[in-house]
Amino acid sequence: MTAPALSRTGGPHPAGGTAPAQVPDWGDPYADAVRAGRGPLWLRHRDGRRVPLDVERWCAPAAGADHSLLLRCTQLTAPVLDLGCGPGRLVAALLALGIPALGVDITGEAVARTRRLGALALRRSLFDRLPGEGRWGGVLLADGNLGIGGDPDAILERCAELLAPGGTLLVEVEPQELDEHSTVQLEGAHGRLSPPFSWARLGAVATARRARRAGLVETDRWVSHGRRFLALQAGPRTG
């Protein structure tokens, strides 16, 4: 997971289209947790329900289900772009495998931690201009990042723009079948709260359906260590 990586202005982004309008200037509870390498950190819903976030796993070396993602990356045409790379475990692991990779995250502490691992990362929104647009062999959306900004359609369309024809998006989805949109906050230690922001949670069926509208076709679906993933392939350019 990362802070919502949207255009800071909420207006038209350089790649075309319009980013969702409300973009919180948040990140303090998240940045604090990343800096410490541990929680507590929760996703807090309006009704008071709290979902714990696995900061320790994000800050640790790639493990468990991450290896299923990394294995599929070895079968893609390089390079690979990790959107919402967080503390950088996947980017670092890709580079260790000899796969050219770049991480993108809007939170400065996450980018700094990724760079300390020896990996490459940019502090940027995924809707900002990025290197190699339309030429990436693979794009990663792990750790719930499909939900960024509560607009999975915009995220999937942006991924399609970034991929080369025939390139593959590897996206983590919810283990259960959901298509849920909500307003949430991050809650950190001592009850520290981020401003409210929109978030989405999608299962495999809803993700595949929305992906088709973005020109992405499902080619694989798998579960590893209780986490669920899809592989979505970009079609040829049109127009």
Side-chain angles (χ1 to χ4, degrees):
M1 181 183 176
T2 184
L6 305 175
S7 166
R8 290 183 182 274
T9 64
H13 59 77
T18 301
Q22 289 192 322
V23 183
D25 183 14
W26 67 289
D28 284 350
Y30 174 72
D32 290 347
V34 169
R35 188 178 299 113
R38 62 182 184 276
L41 189 67
W42 295 275
L43 202 63
R44 184 183 181 91
H45 292 258
R46 281 180 166 175
D47 61 5
R49 177 169 48 99
R50 299 192 305 180
V51 178
L53 300 176
D54 200 353
V55 180
E56 288 81 359
R57 177 173 65 80
W58 301 339
C59 291
D66 294 336
H67 292 305
S68 72
L69 274 178
L70 296 170
L71 175 62
R72 283 164 174 81
C73 286
T74 66
Q75 301 164 359
L76 302 179
T77 301
V80 174
L81 182 66
D82 184 2
L83 296 177
C85 66
R89 75 186 191 283
L90 294 176
V91 185
L94 288 168
L95 292 174
L97 291 170
I99 300 172
L102 174 68
V104 175
D105 203 285
I106 204 168
T107 302
E109 186 58 40
V111 169
R113 190 172 180 120
T114 300
R115 291 173 177 170
R116 288 196 293 271
L117 295 175
L120 303 175
L122 293 176
R123 185 180 184 185
R124 203 168 292 182
S125 159
L126 66 85
F127 285 105
D128 289 339
R129 180 68 64 187
L130 295 176
E133 296 201 8
R135 300 194 300 274
W136 292 94
V139 170
L140 300 183
L141 273 178
D143 303 325
N145 285 333
L146 178 61
I148 288 171
D151 193 344
D153 290 321
I155 301 294
L156 291 166
E157 288 170 7
R158 180 60 172 142
C159 290
E161 292 173 347
L162 293 166
L163 285 166
T168 298
L169 169 63
L170 300 175
V171 56
E172 183 170 359
V173 299
E174 294 298 316
Q176 62 272 50
E177 290 304 340
L178 292 173
D179 193 343
E180 173 185 286
H181 303 257
S182 56
T183 300
V184 296
Q185 293 173 280
L186 284 178
E187 181 177 347
H190 312 298
R192 189 176 190 183
L193 292 170
S194 74
F197 59 95
S198 297
W199 200 257
R201 299 171 67 217
L202 272 67
V205 171
T207 301
R209 182 182 67 249
R210 292 174 180 271
R212 285 193 295 271
R213 297 203 292 260
L216 300 167
V217 178
E218 181 181 350
T219 58
D220 194 12
R221 185 183 299 196
W222 74 97
V223 176
S224 178
H225 294 75
R227 294 165 61 192
R228 177 169 288 187
F229 304 89
L230 296 182
L232 303 163
Q233 189 173 55
R237 297 270 181 243
T238 58

